[in-house]
Amino acid sequence: MHKPVPECFHVDIKDPRPMKTVFSPLHSRRHVRTELDGGLLIEPHEKPSRAETILARVKDQALGEILEPEEFGLAPIQRVHTPDYVAFLETCWQDWLAAGKPGEAIPAVWAGRGMRHRIPKDIDGRLGYYSFAAETSISEGTWEAARASANVALTAQKLVADGERAAFALCRPPGHHAHADLFGGYCFFNNAAIVAQAFRDQGYGKVAILDVDFHHGNGTQAIFYDRADVLTISLHGDPDLVFPHFLGFEDELGEGTGEGYNLNIVYPPGTPYSTWSQGLETACERIEVFKPDALVVALGVDTFEHDPISFFKLASEDYLSLGQRLAQLGLPTVFTMEGGYDVDAIGVNAVNVMQGFEGKS
């Protein structure tokens, strides 16, 4: 039986308390050297300096208190991810080394159409079984960083459940591409989904997840696709043209009891904020109709005009407007950090969303 909905579910959008940021230095344990891109092994776009740049901006702007995460164990992660997948991630690097592999662990074989979907004993086979893309290498420290990232998200959720209007989970690695039993797109544990499920498990009747990353939140959609208690909305680049390619189309509305509770809003190359914000308005109106008890924002700022792997044209000041519109929803809100690969601008853009949410220019 769920506990009653706390009074803090109905928040004052003029709440003067500064937003807290949750951050773990353990994110730096994940520092892979290789990403497969264009047939070459390159320096990864998803790197430690992303989180450090955002943290520096949080401090520079005196956004609010910075907290290290609490430890929540594996139980809330396994509410979203299958136990066998979690166990695979925990031992993957050690298994790779034990097999005598010389480089970083990169999946190279998958169970394609017409093949059997079973868990192989060999580490190469298991990498393929539990992944959907080859750009995401695994190396020493990936497990520790992914665990810490989930704890960051859960600590932010706890802050909001305990009465904070909003909290910023400065997660790294990001999470929204991770399925219940698949990694890829730099993601291992789906932090936004873990937060949403934590709210549900604590008695929040309905939760909305709004994904504003440039890329579709395929993992989040898949996790909640047959459920009506979690509304999933994603604004993103056309998957016919960009990653993840095989989910994210506008005819994907949910299935079974979840039909009508998934919304994808797709944009072409060169989309400016004036166009993108129309989809944001549609998303916000859908959230208002849904009447959730909490909001999770999967915050990617790779919609930025100079992002190296994206094709939207949002400017830094547009992220202030984004934050302002989200604040108008008047919901307890957790922001989980996702993408954004212009390292020079990622701090300004991410913190602009928080400042806009708090009514600061």
Side-chain angles (χ1 to χ4, degrees):
M1 183 172 181
H2 294 308
K3 65 184 180 181
V5 174
E7 292 183 2
C8 69
F9 279 29
H10 307 286
V11 298
D12 180 358
I13 65 172
K14 296 181 180 180
D15 187 336
R17 291 174 294 180
M19 189 186 302
K20 293 182 172 69
T21 296
V22 187
F23 171 82
S24 173
L26 290 178
H27 83 90
S28 63
R29 294 294 303 277
R30 175 167 170 77
H31 193 181
V32 294
R33 309 297 179 179
T34 54
E35 175 181 332
L36 183 60
D37 181 55
L40 300 173
L41 290 176
I42 65 168
E43 179 190 4
H45 293 288
E46 204 295 289
K47 50 194 173 185
S49 57
R50 297 176 61 251
E52 300 294 345
T53 301
I54 298 170
L55 182 66
R57 182 67 175 180
V58 168
K59 293 177 178 178
D60 177 72
Q61 294 296 296
L63 183 67
E65 187 178 0
I66 300 169
L67 307 173
E68 289 201 17
E70 299 180 28
E71 172 59 57
F72 291 84
L74 293 180
I77 294 174
Q78 291 177 337
R79 292 287 292 136
V80 166
H81 295 284
T82 63
D84 59 297
Y85 171 71
V86 174
F88 159 77
L89 288 178
E90 184 173 12
T91 65
C92 175
W93 180 243
Q94 288 74 25
D95 294 345
W96 179 260
L97 293 178
K101 304 292 187 178
E104 295 180 328
I106 301 176
V109 59
W110 291 269
R113 289 183 290 275
M115 302 177 76
R116 293 182 66 180
H117 288 252
R118 56 185 297 277
I119 304 174
K121 295 179 180 178
D122 180 75
I123 184 59
D124 282 301
R126 280 183 284 134
L127 277 163
Y129 183 84
Y130 288 113
S131 69
F132 67 90
E135 82 296 296
T136 304
S137 304
I138 291 178
S139 69
E140 183 178 8
T142 292
W143 166 255
E144 292 82 0
R147 280 284 314 278
S149 191
N151 282 328
V152 164
L154 286 163
T155 302
Q157 187 274 334
K158 182 180 179 182
L159 287 170
V160 173
D162 287 345
E164 296 287 337
R165 175 197 178 199
F168 178 28
L170 209 179
C171 297
R172 182 183 173 269
H176 72 146
H177 292 307
H179 290 233
D181 60 354
L182 292 171
F183 75 89
Y186 314 136
C187 301
F188 301 95
F189 291 142
N190 194 312
N191 301 309
I194 290 168
V195 167
Q197 187 61 51
F199 275 125
R200 288 289 294 112
D201 289 343
Q202 293 164 24
Y204 290 56
K206 295 188 293 185
V207 181
I209 303 176
L210 175 60
D211 192 322
V212 296
D213 189 278
F214 169 78
H215 302 92
H216 175 241
N218 54 294
T220 311
Q221 172 178 307
I223 288 166
F224 296 111
Y225 202 59
D226 61 353
R227 290 172 54 172
D229 57 332
V230 179
L231 172 68
T232 51
I233 303 178
S234 180
L235 288 69
H236 52 267
D238 186 348
D240 262 339
L241 304 175
V242 294
F243 187 94
H245 292 298
F246 301 106
L247 276 182
F249 298 92
E250 291 184 339
D251 63 349
E252 296 162 8
L253 304 176
E255 64 183 11
T257 58
E259 185 174 358
Y261 294 93
N262 185 76
L263 174 63
N264 290 322
I265 301 173
V266 177
Y267 294 108
T271 295
Y273 184 74
S274 58
T275 301
W276 187 89
S277 62
Q278 295 174 26
L280 174 65
E281 188 59 33
T282 298
C284 289
E285 291 173 358
R286 180 70 183 86
I287 290 169
E288 289 167 342
V289 169
F290 182 62
K291 292 181 169 51
D293 300 304
L295 173 67
V296 183
V297 179
L299 177 62
V301 293
D302 43 358
T303 48
F304 183 54
E305 58 188 336
H306 301 305
D307 194 272
I309 62 172
S310 307
F311 58 51
F312 289 171
K313 298 299 179 184
L314 275 65
S316 290
E317 58 267 24
D318 295 329
Y319 296 101
L320 288 165
S321 299
L322 167 60
Q324 291 164 2
R325 182 61 184 95
L326 296 176
Q328 291 171 8
L329 293 171
L331 292 167
T333 302
V334 174
F335 294 89
T336 62
M337 194 66 214
E338 303 289 351
Y341 306 100
D342 184 328
V343 176
D344 291 337
I346 189 173
V348 170
N349 294 339
V351 173
N352 274 3
V353 176
M354 308 306 151
Q355 291 179 316
F357 189 89
E358 295 200 312
K360 301 174 183 177
S361 59

